[in-house]
Amino acid sequence: MARPRKYGDSIREDLIIAAASRVAAGDDFALRSIATDCGCTTSTIYRLFGDRDTLITAVIDYVSESFSKNQHSVAATDAPMDDLRRLGIAYRTWAIENPTLYHVMFGGPPACAPEPVDELPDSDSIQPLIDAVRRGLTAGDLVGGRPEQIVRSIWAGVHGWVTLELGGALPNGPRKSVREYGVHLDSLLKAWRP
């Protein structure tokens, strides 16, 4: 009896990245095409993921975990305003280094977007931003709004800039606008300072 073939984490990740690339590009999401991209067979995908829907779930989980890990890599300090700036820089860095993953995560509205609510989203990836804003409010470094307003303002400003930058709408291009992005971040934070 033949032994089942073992696959390492490398081919699993390659398949997830190939699938993410197809999602981001709006290309065909046929398993055969994804397998061909990775130099394997569709049997490999079935053995590793079970089916197409499980592969899609794996892509979403991979992207979410990657972004969340990025945001959690910014250690909280006694200076919440510095932490907010460093979170914004980490956000941009992740997007520039992972444009495909960024597009999968933020490329468009979700298929079934929930109704807007006053509460902040229950998302591990945004928790560092929420925590830094709350610490900034407690320290008196931020004023003039509820935590939800400030988080959404900063998030929208950072997300908007990065989306424009990745889309080529900024004159200096994605790798050359670090200084301009820093000025943008400072202006976002200044809007909520005393």
Side-chain angles (χ1 to χ4, degrees), residues 18-95:
S21 295
R22 289 189 166 270
V23 169
D27 290 344
D28 175 27
F29 197 82
L31 296 184
R32 184 180 310 271
S33 301
I34 294 166
T36 300
D37 291 347
C38 295
C40 66
T41 65
T42 55
S43 296
T44 304
I45 295 173
Y46 288 117
R47 283 190 188 111
L48 289 172
F49 299 99
D51 59 23
R52 182 180 187 274
D53 291 342
T54 306
L55 175 57
I56 291 169
T57 299
V59 169
I60 293 166
D61 290 346
Y62 181 87
V63 171
S64 180
E65 288 169 19
S66 176
F67 180 70
S68 184
K69 183 178 178 181
N70 165 273
Q71 290 294 281
H72 283 276
S73 72
V74 178
T77 69
D78 291 335
M81 298 307 287
D82 292 342
D83 296 352
L84 287 168
R85 193 170 198 286
R86 290 184 306 114
L87 283 165
I89 290 168
Y91 184 109
R92 178 184 176 275
T93 300
W94 181 83

